[in-house]
């Protein structure tokens, strides 16, 4: 049982689809932010949000995935996937995330990978981290007025960085 392929703009190497991007998400805590990510991922993966949240929280126990500059890249291995998938949200109000620089987080790019995706998972994490280290992109994502605009920014940057 893999991720259902609906044909709309997803290839196995692509991490993000438009319906997995959300702007102005309300969350008052790190747990609530991860819960919002799990809800979106649940619709995309057809798996219970509680299971996905639990997987994200289990990873966070090993150390925060807040990478600094208001960005977090939570990730988890999930059974039943055949390739990594991403969820991107921008929070209305930044939340404490125990980030490396102690800054609150408002941009979250979560990754869900197959249980056996060692190198593939690490490559996806590295790609997302490189992308979100770009200060101009972070600012554009924060200024974007819609999820469509954020998806367009992320897609454009991912394609130009892959070349």
């Amino acid at each position: 049982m893999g991720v259902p392929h609906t044909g709309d703009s997803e290839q196995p190497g692509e991490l993000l689809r438009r319906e997995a991007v959300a702007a102005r998400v309300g969350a008052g805590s790190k747990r609530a932010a991860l819960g919002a990510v799990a809800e979106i991922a649940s619709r995309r993966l057809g798996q219970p949000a509680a299971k996905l949240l639990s997987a994200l929280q289990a990873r966070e126990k090993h150390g925060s995935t807040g990478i600094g500059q208001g960005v977090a890249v939570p990730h988890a291995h999930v059974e039943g996937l055949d390739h990594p998938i991403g969820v991107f949200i921008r929070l209305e109000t930044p939340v404490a995330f125990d980030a490396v620089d102690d800054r609150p987080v408002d941009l979250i790019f979560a990754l869900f990978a197959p249980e056996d995706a060692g190198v593939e998972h690490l490559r996806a994490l590295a790609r997302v981290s490189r992308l979100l280290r770009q200060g101009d992109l972070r600012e554009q994502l924060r200024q974007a007025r819609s999820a469509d605009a954020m998806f367009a920014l992320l897609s454009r940057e991912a394609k130009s960085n892959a070349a």
Side-chain angles (χ1 to χ4, degrees), residues 14-34:
E14 292 183 48
L15 292 175
L16 197 60
R17 287 199 330 213
R18 165 54 195 94
E19 58 270 18
V21 177
R24 296 185 295 273
V25 173
S29 66
K30 178 178 180 175
R31 185 183 194 292
L34 293 174

Side-chain angles (χ1 to χ4, degrees), residues 7-148:
D8 40 340
S9 79
E10 180 181 42
Q11 299 299 320
E14 292 183 48
L15 292 175
L16 197 60
R17 287 199 330 213
R18 165 54 195 94
E19 58 270 18
V21 177
R24 296 185 295 273
V25 173
S29 66
K30 178 178 180 175
R31 185 183 194 292
L34 293 174
V37 165
E39 285 293 330
I40 293 168
S42 173
R43 291 191 293 272
R44 171 103 192 265
L45 302 175
Q47 296 198 22
K51 174 184 168 187
L52 299 172
L53 175 58
S54 178
L56 290 171
Q57 289 178 309
R59 167 53 190 86
E60 288 295 317
K61 286 180 183 170
H62 297 290
S64 176
T65 56
I67 63 172
Q69 303 299 313
V71 175
V73 186
H75 49 278
H77 290 276
V78 178
E79 67 180 275
L81 297 185
D82 53 19
H83 64 277
I85 69 109
V87 170
F88 181 82
I89 66 171
R90 184 183 71 212
L91 299 175
E92 280 184 312
T93 305
V95 298
F97 215 90
D98 302 317
V100 295
D101 62 359
D102 289 323
R103 283 184 54 186
V105 162
D106 64 338
L107 302 175
I108 300 175
F109 197 128
L111 286 172
F112 296 89
E115 289 183 307
D116 59 352
V119 173
E120 187 181 19
H121 180 66
L122 293 175
R123 280 190 188 130
L125 277 171
R127 216 163 86 205
V128 168
S129 294
R130 260 194 317 275
L131 195 65
L132 294 174
R133 263 188 253 141
Q134 300 173 42
D136 57 336
L137 176 61
R138 287 192 311 269
E139 192 53 39
Q140 290 172 336
L141 289 167
R142 288 182 173 116
Q143 298 302 318
R145 295 185 181 268
S146 68
D148 287 333

